[in-house]
Amino acid sequence: MTASSASRKAPARCQEPARCQERPLPSRCLFGIILVALVFLLFTYSDACDPPPTFEAMQLIGKPKPYYEVGEEVKYQCKPAYFYIPPIAMYTVCELNHTWLPVTDDGCFRLTCSVIKDPANGRAVPANGTWEWGYQLHFSCNEGYYLIGKQILYCELKGLRPQWSDKPPRCEKILCSPPAKIKNGKYTFSDIEIFEYLEAVTYSCDPAPGPDEYSLVGESLLYCAGSGVWSSAPPECKVVKCPFPVLKNGRQISGFGKKFSYKAMVMFECIEGFYLNGSDTVVCEGNSTWQPPIPECLKGPKPTHPTKPPVSNYPGYPNPREGFDFDEFEALIIALMILIIIVAVAITGVCLYKYLQKRKKRKPEGKVEYTAYHHKATTAEAPPK
């Protein structure tokens, strides 16, 4: 009987460590897990709330506590530089689900800077539609006026009082002094001492004392464009005389004359057997030169400039249009990808099947071995009849 008893206890020991891992957890371990879960649930559903929420515009009345009991109420007040407008609630309560009753700081509004009226002949526009501190005020002037001072003012919080960052600007009328006088010329309204916005003058040249007349080089019309600023520099009155245009192996086809003064224009063409190298049209500029320079007539047909061949035409570069079918290559790539996917799925299925078969075979073998071992032990220790 002693041998039989010892043989019955032998299977209780783990002969194969790998199989021991499949046994259920001990009861003590299970009890520990349940205990930890209960502690967690008790902590989660503890009868308390965390500190109440904080806000930008309002603050808690009194000192905050680490936790609050269910039903406990806390009150808020607007922070300095804010003021309260009812009836928005300013309190919250710790509810049964251990969260705070929803509350917002929408009832607290920022203090505002003093209202600045539109300047004379201008406008003052709040950038965000409000005069509250932290925002901007933009100024602009009507047409014909310019701004003196800061274009943007900031409503800043200085201590507990909001104030503007600078004094408001003003709009002044745009005026110009008389434009500059020029040599050998004059302008209209020369007797006026002050010109208002967009008022204009026209320049002209005096008669020349010699055979060549003066040309007005520059803009003839100037207007007051800004405070003391004219639309452009004054022109010049001077003699402009370009040389007679001569084109060898070519001829002049327009702009004929004995003299060529400022802005005179001439066109050319070449005789048969020659081609034009340069521009066919030139203009006499204020420095008495033709611009662009007079062209040349070169012998022979006009050369053409072939475009640069594509890189695919260079020697040694494979031409995709010769001996290569892109559609066939694309179909081949798709077929290869499908084949790879099929092979991967097949390999995965085979591995999974082998794993399941191995797992299925392992359990019956263990039972048979244990039964055989038990039967053998019992038979060997049976008492004689």
Side-chain angles (χ1 to χ4, degrees), residues 269-282:
E269 69 176 5
C270 294
I271 62 177
E272 189 176 355
F274 292 82
Y275 67 91
L276 196 68
N277 182 27
S279 176
D280 63 347
T281 304
V282 295

Side-chain angles (χ1 to χ4, degrees), residues 90 174 192 301 352:
M90 298 285 287
I174 294 177
I192 297 178
L352 183 61

Side-chain angles (χ1 to χ4, degrees), residues 324-344:
F324 193 89
D325 191 347
F326 276 99
D327 294 335
E328 183 179 351
F329 178 76
E330 184 178 2
L332 180 62
I333 293 296
I334 294 174
L336 183 60
M337 292 177 63
I338 294 174
L339 180 61
I340 292 173
I341 293 173
I342 293 173
V343 172

Side-chain angles (χ1 to χ4, degrees), residues 5-7 29 33 45 54 66 77 79-80 87 96-97 116 136 173 178 280-281 284 292 303 311 314 318:
S5 227
S7 61
C29 183
I33 293 174
Y45 292 97
T54 58
Q77 64 183 1
K79 290 182 179 180
L96 293 175
N97 59 356
I116 297 180
Q136 304 172 4
K173 197 170 188 178
D280 63 347
T281 304
C284 182
V311 179
Y314 288 171

